[in-house]
Amino acid sequence: GAVVSQHPSWVICKSGTSVKIECRSLDFQATTMFWYRQFPKQSLMLMATSNEGSKATYEQGVEKDKFLINHASLTLSTLTVTSAHPEDSSFYICSANGGRNQPQHFGDGTRLSIL
Amino acid sequence: DAKTTQPNSMESNEEEPVHLPCNHSTISGTDYIHWYRQLPSQGPEYVIHGLTSNVNNRMASLAIAEDRKSSTLILHRATLRDAAVYYCILPPNTGGFKTIFGAGTRLFVKA
C-alpha cells in the first residue's frame, strides 16, 4: 500500500537550532501534504497544508516564519522549525493523500526535543 | 466543518468484539466517513472508510446508519495490539481535503 516516510524519527538539539524534517511519499505523487503537531495526551493539530510548487497554507495561529514549509517536488515536503525553543518540543507528523474522499497516509512522526 | 462526536474512552476484553460509535449528524451527502487509529508514539494509521453501505476489510468493519448520521467501527476480536486512539473523521465543509482530528476514542483492551 501507499507509504509515507518521515525522517528523522527523533531529534534532540539545543535551543536556537533550526531543525529540518522530511516527509516523502514513496510510491505515489502527492501534490498536497499536511503537517501536524501533537502534544502529549492531546489530539493531532493541523499546522499547515503543503502545496507542491506553491506556498504553504497555514492554519490560524501557526507562525509561518517559525515553521518553514517547502514542497519542491511531488514526493517531498520539508518542515523546518527555525530557531527552535523548548516550547517547540513536540511530536510532528506529516501526511499525504490522493483526494478529498481518499484515505490519508501518515508518516511515523518525528519527536523533537529542544533542550 | 462537519463535526463528529465520539466517546472519550472505551474498554474491551481481549478476544471480544468491540463496537466504537461515532455521530456525524451534519454529514453531507457525498462525503465519506474515515476511521484512523493511532498507537502510542506512532503516526495515525488508516483503518477503513465508507460512504453508505457497510464496508469490510482485513482490519475492521464499518457499519453506516441508513441516514448516515452515525457509524460504528467494529473490531471483531480485540487484541492487546488494538489498544489505541480511534478517530472518526469527515472531510471539511469548506472543500479541499485536509483532515481535522477530534479527540477520538481511547480504546483499552484487557487481557
Side-chain angles (χ1 to χ4, degrees), chain A residues 2-113:
Chain A
V3 176
V4 171
S5 174
Q6 190 171 340
H7 179 80
S9 300
W10 55 271
V11 181
I12 301 174
C13 57
K14 295 180 179 179
S15 185
T17 306
S18 291
V19 179
K20 179 185 286 188
I21 303 169
E22 293 187 348
C23 181
R24 295 182 184 272
S25 56
L26 297 184
D27 56 358
F28 66 103
Q29 293 183 334
T31 56
T32 303
M33 293 184 176
F34 303 93
W35 287 97
Y36 296 84
R37 179 166 58 177
Q38 186 176 34
F39 292 107
K41 304 292 185 184
Q42 296 185 22
S43 187
L44 285 76
M45 184 192 78
L46 180 65
M47 299 175 66
T49 302
S50 172
N51 304 299
E52 188 268 334
S54 65
K55 291 182 179 180
T57 305
Y58 290 83
E59 296 298 303
Q60 191 172 9
V62 178
E63 300 174 59
K64 60 181 181 181
D65 295 329
K66 175 74 171 178
F67 300 99
L68 300 180
I69 292 172
N70 183 274
H71 194 154
S73 78
L74 288 171
T75 59
L76 174 64
S77 174
T78 61
L79 169 68
T80 301
V81 184
T82 62
S83 187
H85 292 285
E87 59 266 29
D88 298 321
S89 298
S90 189
F91 191 48
Y92 292 86
I93 304 166
C94 71
S95 73
N97 72 356
R100 180 173 173 83
N101 281 307
Q102 297 301 311
Q104 287 223 34
H105 301 281
F106 291 85
D108 287 334
T110 298
R111 189 160 302 281
L112 176 62
S113 296

Side-chain angles (χ1 to χ4, degrees), chain B residues 1 5-6 12 19-20 25 29 31-33 37-38 42 45 58 70 74 78 84 90 94 100 102-103 105:
Chain B
D1 289 336
T5 304
Q6 298 177 255
S12 171
H19 291 232
L20 299 165
S25 58
D31 283 338
Y32 281 66
I33 303 149
R37 72 179 186 182
Q38 186 178 25
Q42 294 186 25
E45 172 187 29
R58 63 175 181 81
S70 65
I74 303 167
L90 305 178
T94 51
I100 304 297
T105 297

Side-chain angles (χ1 to χ4, degrees), chain B residues 56-111:
Chain B
N56 300 293
N57 65 22
R58 63 175 181 81
M59 289 183 68
S61 295
L62 177 60
I64 301 172
E66 196 170 332
D67 63 6
R68 298 201 344 115
K69 293 185 177 182
S70 65
S71 61
T72 302
L73 179 70
I74 303 167
L75 307 179
H76 295 285
R77 289 179 62 197
T79 70
L80 296 178
R81 288 174 293 180
D82 291 321
V85 180
Y86 287 79
Y87 298 98
C88 166
I89 293 178
L90 305 178
N93 289 342
T94 51
F97 46 94
K98 62 184 180 182
T99 297
I100 304 297
F101 284 79
T105 297
R106 184 173 295 275
L107 176 64
F108 297 93
V109 181
K110 296 186 297 183

